[in-house]
Amino acid sequence: MKTTTRVCVIGGGVVGVSVLYHLTKLGWSDVMLVERSELTSGSTWHAAGGFHTLNGDTNMAALQGYTIRLYKELEEITGMSCGLHHVGGITLADNKDRFDMLLAERAKHRYMGLETEIVGPEEIAKIAPITNLNGILGALYDPLDGHLDPSGTTHAYAKAARMGGATIETHVMVRETNPRADGTWDVVTDKGTIHAEHVVNAGGLWAREVGAMAGVYLPLHPMEHQYIVTDEIAEIYERDNEHPHVMDPAGESYLRQEGRGLCIGFYEQPCRPWAVDGTPWNFGHELLPDDFDKIGESIEFAYKRFPVLERAGVKSVIHGPFTFAPDGNPLVGPVPGLRNYWSACGVMAGFSQGGGVGLMLAQWMTTGECERDVSAMDVARFGDWISPGYTLPKVIENYQKRFSVSYPNEELPAARPNRTTPMFDIFDGMGAVWGAQYGLEVVNYFAAPDEPRFETPSFRRSNAWEATAREVKAVREAVGINEVQNFGKYEVRGANARDWLDRIMAGRIPKIGRLSLTPMLSPQGRLIGDFTISCLADDWFQLTASYGAQAYHTRWFEQNAQDGVTVRNVSDALTGFQIAGPNARKVLDAVTRDPTDLKFLDVRSMTIGMTSCLVQRVSYTAGLGYEIYCEPVAQRQVWHTLWTAGQDHGMKPFGMRAMMSLRLDKFFGSWLSEFSPDYTAAETGMDRFIAWSQNVDFIGRAAAEAERATPPNRVLCAFEVDAGDADVNAYEPIWVDGVVQGFCTSGGYSHHAGKSIALGLIPRAHAQDGQKAQIEILGEMRDATLITTPLYDADGGQMRG
């Protein structure tokens, strides 16, 4: 066995061998994989082997498409069979909400190059004739859907990796993973110690245990999952071609042909977590005892949807564990807090996602970043606040909702409330309807006493409409107050703090008492941060950005650390409020004896009531606004001071639904919508904040300069949309002259202007004021007009005055 290697991948399931293969494909040949048993041990060997492209996250869907297309390439490279069955598949909709979801997914697929289509009951009867169509409105058909041989595919990956120079060692048990001072690792096994520059945890069912060896907790949990293979069914074996896949969300089941019979699996509501206190090391090629009681109701429903099943005998039952993360997506990327330690686990749908996971991780390791935004599967999307006590109920919830409708405004209830601010009970008493961000309870809106305390999930305008309109009106006509806990906040100190910020940020670093807005770029010029920088002293700065990106941004700061600089995440050590609206200065005048003559982008220490606070003249709502920061222990005092004074000026509380409506009036983008690693500064207009004149070689400058010289083909624009009862959410295609030319990044309803607004990327050649377009919303073509004049404070007088 090799004792030194550039990369040691731990785990020989389909994900581990995919990572190994893709590393060799990208030029790293000194790589090895160790597996405690045989390849496919764990979940891979007993997987149903189905694959599909449907995923609520667009980038994940694209990676699933890549994975599926990769299998033929593997066969050509290795000469081995993956047992491919490209039979196509349909996802059924038996109610309007499910059909809306399929319409939204089909629209997304248009610009992704996925050739899906919406089909009606008559077409479904031809495609999948064993389906009982009672109550079925339609379906989404995907010709890429199919299934394969899990073992053959895993071994094809392995052979392709070996052909690229990789080494695979089976029956090697990892005992310890110990970091060295230089960032490399000693992987201690029962066959000796391997010195590796990088370690990849692809441990699957054992990923938690492997992670614990490095002192990290990975939020994963195995769930029991059961599928059934039937005896021969005449309606199946007498067909001229193989029966396609059928996903039936109402019955929480998936069905495909298996030989001369059928295979059907269930995501049942009375589900059961497995190995709650740890996966046994001696588990591998075993199955769990059959449990028909658990899936009894699911089987009964399946008999009605597919009557042939009731006449078929059971040939075999496959009941085994699969791992899930709290949101169902994989955990991939560099583990925060560790050097050269990578995660490739939690990949529940290994044969749909394994190829994409392997490609993205290999790109990340070999080039430092991925070709697309992988936030949905980045291991850093969960912070150090996450625990097994949170993970378990969220994984159960995710399993139960595996085939449920995924709404853009849905707030899932499991493991909540978890993290709250000192304002929780006060806001709750005022009628707060809560959302969750990064584990934190955040107010979405405030319901009136006669309104429900629950926002109905919908693809269309929800019952939050009236409340949001009230809150927007208060901000635009008087003054609103909103909590700022859900900003990521960082303290940067040290003699070299300014130099470090000049290098890591692309924008201008402000002078003392001022703040600036700046993008943070990757080496390839992609947006990896959207920051406000406040200069409190020559060697003291405060940064604010997205609250949900804390671990992501902290990891980047650590990877680019510099002597003489300390960076501290103070996201939960600072809290406070923003006040916004034409009466905001009047409220500020009433609560402090300090001068309130802050100009736009000023920052100053002020005493608010009895508390020393940091006050910034800036607002995401557009117009006049202030951000007021204090310690959590003083937050309630600051609240009572502001709220009492605010009553004379029409102050009302507002939540995130109003915030997202208000920002549309100024066409402000938001993190992971307009600003993400999928886009560059020049594409999104963030290049206007780049400090071109400064003689600083900031990260990503060469790529940004190249786009400055040759502007990118696409650019972010705003549209006024002739919408019905549904507004743009994200990724709806934008049609110009009858052709899909771009897509929406986000949108919604401007309650102030009374207009539906969309933001989206289109070719620069079409980015002209008044450009006519159409946006496909839930299957309907809606007229849209490109607009360049903001809907509120168009000249910036309120904001800067």
Side-chain angles (χ1 to χ4, degrees), residues 663-783:
R663 61 106 183 179
L664 291 173
D665 295 341
K666 202 75 169 179
F667 312 150
F668 287 163
S670 65
W671 180 245
L672 293 186
S673 292
E674 285 67 44
F675 310 138
S676 87
D678 272 337
Y679 315 127
T680 67
E683 288 176 327
T684 58
M686 288 294 284
D687 56 341
R688 69 186 184 276
F689 297 115
I690 291 179
W692 300 112
S693 61
Q694 290 188 215
N695 186 27
V696 177
D697 188 21
F698 56 80
I699 296 172
R701 177 156 196 160
E705 290 279 13
E707 282 204 319
R708 188 185 187 196
T710 307
N713 291 328
R714 62 185 184 180
V715 63
L716 184 68
C717 298
F719 292 86
E720 180 181 332
V721 187
D722 182 17
D725 63 347
D727 302 297
V728 158
N729 177 44
Y731 297 110
E732 293 85 353
I734 299 173
W735 300 70
V736 180
D737 298 330
V739 178
V740 175
Q741 298 276 10
F743 60 93
C744 298
T745 51
S746 72
Y749 192 78
S750 165
H751 286 274
H752 167 70
K755 297 177 179 180
S756 183
I757 301 298
L759 302 180
L761 288 159
I762 63 168
R764 188 174 296 271
H766 293 293
Q768 307 295 327
D769 191 64
Q771 170 70 58
K772 299 300 181 183
Q774 289 186 309
I775 298 177
E776 184 178 351
I777 304 176
L778 300 181
E780 296 185 11
M781 302 297 282
R782 293 288 178 175
D783 291 338

Side-chain angles (χ1 to χ4, degrees), residues 263-306:
C263 165
I264 183 168
F266 306 98
Y267 284 88
E268 70 284 353
Q269 292 302 301
C271 58
R272 187 174 298 122
W274 182 77
V276 174
D277 296 318
T279 303
W281 288 110
N282 60 358
F283 186 84
H285 280 274
E286 299 83 3
L287 289 173
L288 306 177
D290 299 349
D291 189 349
F292 286 102
D293 290 341
K294 186 176 61 168
I295 58 174
E297 292 185 7
S298 299
I299 291 174
E300 184 178 349
F301 192 98
Y303 284 169
K304 295 175 182 176
R305 181 70 75 214
F306 310 106

Side-chain angles (χ1 to χ4, degrees), residues 524-758:
Q524 294 180 17
R526 297 177 180 273
L527 289 169
I528 58 173
D530 165 30
F531 281 82
T532 298
I533 302 178
S534 307
C535 182
L536 310 181
D538 281 330
D539 59 353
W540 182 14
F541 297 83
Q542 179 177 303
L543 316 182
T544 57
S546 167
Y547 187 78
Q550 285 175 60
Y552 174 81
H553 286 147
T554 298
R555 181 179 64 195
W556 184 250
F557 296 154
E558 290 173 349
Q559 289 172 348
N560 292 277
Q562 181 176 328
D563 291 340
V565 182
T566 60
V567 182
R568 189 165 68 98
N569 183 352
V570 293
S571 298
D572 295 325
L574 279 179
T575 187
F577 304 95
Q578 64 170 318
I579 55 173
N583 292 344
R585 184 179 286 110
K586 295 176 183 177
V587 174
L588 193 63
D589 286 337
V591 297
T592 184
R593 299 180 66 84
D594 294 323
T596 59
D597 57 341
L598 283 82
K599 299 175 183 176
F600 181 57
L601 301 183
D602 274 355
V603 55
R604 186 183 303 169
S605 291
M606 300 175 69
T607 299
I608 306 297
M610 297 183 288
T611 302
S612 178
C613 299
L614 188 71
V615 181
Q616 303 190 152
R617 171 82 185 275
V618 69
S619 176
Y620 189 54
T621 63
L624 178 63
Y626 303 88
E627 293 174 355
I628 302 169
Y629 293 94
C630 64
E631 294 179 317
V633 292
Q635 188 183 18
R636 291 167 73 101
Q637 184 275 317
V638 173
W639 161 261
H640 288 300
T641 299
L642 291 168
W643 183 249
T644 301
Q647 297 314 293
D648 291 337
H649 304 287
M651 178 177 279
K652 302 291 182 184
F654 68 100
M656 292 305 297
R657 295 286 184 261
M659 175 89 82
M660 298 310 282
S661 174
L662 290 159
R663 61 106 183 179
L664 291 173
D665 295 341
K666 202 75 169 179
F667 312 150
F668 287 163
S670 65
W671 180 245
L672 293 186
S673 292
E674 285 67 44
F675 310 138
S676 87
D678 272 337
Y679 315 127
T680 67
E683 288 176 327
T684 58
M686 288 294 284
D687 56 341
R688 69 186 184 276
F689 297 115
I690 291 179
W692 300 112
S693 61
Q694 290 188 215
N695 186 27
V696 177
D697 188 21
F698 56 80
I699 296 172
R701 177 156 196 160
E705 290 279 13
E707 282 204 319
R708 188 185 187 196
T710 307
N713 291 328
R714 62 185 184 180
V715 63
L716 184 68
C717 298
F719 292 86
E720 180 181 332
V721 187
D722 182 17
D725 63 347
D727 302 297
V728 158
N729 177 44
Y731 297 110
E732 293 85 353
I734 299 173
W735 300 70
V736 180
D737 298 330
V739 178
V740 175
Q741 298 276 10
F743 60 93
C744 298
T745 51
S746 72
Y749 192 78
S750 165
H751 286 274
H752 167 70
K755 297 177 179 180
S756 183
I757 301 298

Side-chain angles (χ1 to χ4, degrees), residues 21 62 147 228 330 371 377 380 471 499 593 654 747:
Y21 162 66
H147 58 276
I228 294 169
E371 68 183 50
M377 65 179 183
E471 293 172 18
D499 290 341
R593 299 180 66 84
F654 68 100

Side-chain angles (χ1 to χ4, degrees), residues 91-94 98 101 247-253 403-405:
T91 300
L92 302 173
D94 67 335
R98 287 197 174 97
M101 184 180 77
M247 284 199 288
D248 180 21
E252 298 156 341
S253 71
F403 280 159
S404 299
V405 177

